[in-house]
Amino acid sequence: MADTQKTATLTLDGKTFDLPIYSPTVGPDVIDIRKLYGQAGVFTYDPGFTSTAACDSAITFIDGDEGVLLHRGYTIGELAEKSHFLEVCYLLLYGALPTAKEMEDFEALVTRHTMVHEQMHKFFTGFRRDAHPMAIMVGVVGAMSAFYHDSIDIADAHQREVATIRLLAKMPTIAAMAYKYTIGQPMVYPRNDLDYASNFLHMCFSVPAEEYVVNPILARAMDRIFTLHADHEQNASTSTVRLASSSGANPFACIAAGIACLWGPAHGGANQACLEMLREIGTVDRIPEYIARAKDKNDPFRLMGFGHRVYKNFDPRATVMKQSADEVLELLGVDNNPTLQVAKELEKQALADPYFHDKKLFPNVDFYSGIILEAMGFPTAMFTPIFALSRTVGWISQWKEMIEDPAMKIGRPRQLYTGATERPYVNVEDR
């Protein structure tokens, strides 16, 4: 916790209460209200926690007004351009960029733990073939606690570390297995000779009947998608993981809770919604009609993938993701894919329209990641599982930070009660 040298004064019914103010390394000051109820007998009211800091953290910082996203002090643009996903994982988990030897050891450790317990394969046959991959992932990840008993004691530092590596290593395998199951193809085992992103693509798209060679451009684009979604401060799913963790739940259950929260269309389904919008537009000649609708205040339609709830200026992840999207589309082409044709033309027309510039409605990371995943051949149902795969390291980092904080307390939000006051029970025959 940062030091405090300032206080805020609350006046209530003629009484004053001094509240400490903490100053972070970056960002707005924070008023400490932990003792407010005990001293003044009142709660604060903040639905959605839009003005409430629920924890102190040294992992990720976002300044939405300025379009800044930092992981341990490094800008997301520089990390996505110069680094790779597993190096960013190391940074998020341990607080510093690894040395060459540390990176080599970490990569080897993750690679050696990508296989899942063989009996877990049977779990998949319990799901319908048309089950959503996210439904499968919630169940299978939660079930990991039934298989890996030696890494569920959160009070044991070694077990926490084992759980960390297992989750990071096995999540691509589980996501790929969920995908293969839903399309009726045989599941593919991971390969230790491939890097993290290439291994995921191999498990998703290879088949026993022929050799599959991972294209390095696609692998790099996949790695960037993982990197750009690795952590995003105290969002809904991360807060869910922290809240579940505060009860002492095992790490696999906590990550399963995060996956369940991410499944919501207001959170992890944004790039899927973007692709569904592009398919609704259908053809390039209809783009002006939909742009006009987006400008019409009386029309509920809005362009998905443009603007961002957090970033009021521009999404700092979008610049790098656009570069990858351009590379992938140049490699795979858009001539035979009407959805991608619409995406490229919509991007062009929207960026040239002063309305979108004035409103700062620029294409965000969901717009470009949706284009990339569509071009690679992933169905939209797999977009959110890939997001969950990417975000796992952020959830684990936040979980570890919380568990290792000696001041950790179980989460217990208060409420503004608006129900009935106490009343007598009436027997059923007298009602």
Side-chain angles (χ1 to χ4, degrees):
M1 176 69 73
D3 292 333
T4 178
Q5 297 180 342
K6 298 183 288 185
T7 58
T9 301
L10 170 68
T11 301
L12 183 67
D13 294 332
K15 296 181 180 178
T16 59
F17 304 92
D18 292 329
L19 305 172
I21 297 178
Y22 293 98
S23 297
T25 49
V26 227
D29 287 347
V30 176
I31 300 174
D32 185 351
I33 60 168
R34 285 176 292 179
K35 297 181 179 179
L36 181 61
Y37 175 62
Q39 293 177 345
V42 296
F43 299 146
T44 57
Y45 184 63
D46 185 21
F49 309 110
T50 55
S51 297
T52 298
C55 65
D56 54 285
S57 178
I59 299 171
T60 298
F61 172 74
I62 295 173
D63 185 334
D65 293 333
E66 297 299 324
V68 172
L69 171 58
L70 304 178
H71 290 326
R72 304 288 190 180
Y74 297 96
T75 66
I76 189 61
E78 193 168 26
L79 289 173
E81 187 68 35
K82 300 178 180 179
S83 186
H84 59 89
F85 181 62
L86 279 186
E87 185 175 58
V88 172
C89 289
Y90 189 99
L91 173 68
L92 291 172
L93 289 168
Y94 306 114
L97 290 171
T99 64
K101 180 64 166 61
E102 288 170 337
M103 190 70 252
E104 181 183 354
D105 292 345
F106 182 68
E107 287 181 326
L109 188 61
V110 171
T111 299
R112 289 199 303 270
H113 288 82
T114 50
M115 292 179 63
V116 299
H117 194 289
E118 191 66 16
Q119 195 172 339
M120 291 188 72
H121 287 238
K122 297 179 180 179
F123 272 63
F124 290 83
T125 59
F127 293 97
R128 288 171 46 136
R129 285 283 180 179
D130 61 354
H132 196 289
M134 283 294 276
I136 297 174
M137 288 187 69
V138 169
V140 174
V141 172
M144 288 176 72
S145 58
F147 286 85
Y148 302 108
H149 298 151
D150 59 343
S151 55
I152 58 175
D153 182 358
I154 64 171
D156 186 317
H158 175 70
Q159 291 199 30
R160 292 198 301 269
E161 187 63 20
V162 172
T164 293
I165 298 301
R166 280 179 171 157
L167 282 161
L168 182 60
K170 299 180 193 306
M171 198 63 74
T173 308
I174 293 171
M177 290 171 73
Y179 172 57
K180 285 295 196 183
Y181 183 75
T182 58
I183 62 174
Q185 290 186 2
M187 295 175 183
V188 178
Y189 287 88
R191 279 174 41 182
N192 288 355
D193 61 322
L194 295 176
D195 63 69
Y196 196 87
S198 297
N199 200 21
F200 176 66
L201 291 175
H202 174 264
M203 289 188 289
C204 286
F205 295 121
S206 65
V207 292
E210 60 187 26
E211 183 181 3
Y212 175 79
V213 179
V214 181
N215 187 293
I217 293 177
L218 300 186
R220 176 59 175 156
M222 193 81 256
D223 189 88
R224 279 182 171 170
I225 287 176
F226 292 162
T227 298
L228 294 172
H229 291 88
D231 193 53
H232 211 234
E233 210 201 74
Q234 306 308 316
N235 53 79
S237 59
T238 299
S239 299
T240 298
V241 171
R242 278 184 171 263
L243 189 60
S245 303
S246 74
S247 73
N250 73 74
F252 305 111
C254 295
I255 300 305
I259 295 172
C261 180
L262 187 72
W263 194 358
H267 188 7
N271 49 12
Q272 179 174 339
C274 175
L275 259 293
E276 290 169 351
M277 175 201 71
L278 294 174
R279 292 194 179 109
E280 179 186 339
I281 295 173
T283 55
V284 171
D285 60 290
R286 298 188 66 193
I287 291 176
E289 170 195 342
Y290 279 84
I291 285 182
R293 288 183 60 189
K295 295 179 182 179
D296 185 353
K297 294 180 180 179
N298 298 318
D299 193 320
F301 174 80
R302 64 189 184 95
L303 288 181
M304 302 300 296
F306 286 77
H308 196 278
R309 180 176 178 270
V310 172
Y311 300 109
K312 305 307 180 187
N313 193 346
F314 67 95
D315 186 340
R317 303 167 296 175
T319 303
V320 179
M321 193 63 87
K322 172 178 167 52
Q323 179 184 339
S324 286
D326 291 340
E327 292 171 357
V328 169
L329 293 184
E330 182 178 353
L331 173 70
L332 301 178
V334 299
D335 294 340
N336 297 321
N337 191 321
T339 303
L340 296 179
Q341 291 176 356
V342 170
K344 291 294 290 181
E345 185 60 27
L346 177 61
E347 176 197 33
K348 179 181 176 181
Q349 292 191 27
L351 289 175
D353 193 315
Y355 174 86
F356 294 98
H357 269 275
D358 294 343
K359 298 287 187 179
K360 301 188 184 301
L361 296 175
F362 303 111
N364 61 33
V365 70
D366 297 311
F367 181 80
Y368 293 117
S369 64
I371 291 175
I372 293 171
L373 295 174
E374 166 81 5
M376 285 182 177
F378 283 106
T380 52
M382 272 300 292
F383 289 7
T384 315
I386 291 171
F387 193 166
L389 188 173
S390 311
R391 183 56 55 84
T392 295
V393 68
W395 292 332
I396 300 170
S397 300
Q398 300 275 348
W399 169 77
K400 279 168 58 70
E401 182 180 62
M402 180 177 181
I403 295 299
E404 293 165 5
D405 183 356
M408 182 190 79
K409 296 179 64 175
I410 186 171
R412 180 50 172 96
R414 300 295 191 167
Q415 66 175 12
L416 173 63
Y417 179 69
T418 58
T421 56
E422 184 177 349
R423 49 186 173 174
Y425 179 82
V426 179
N427 291 330
V428 64
E429 61 271 13
D430 296 328
R431 293 176 206 159

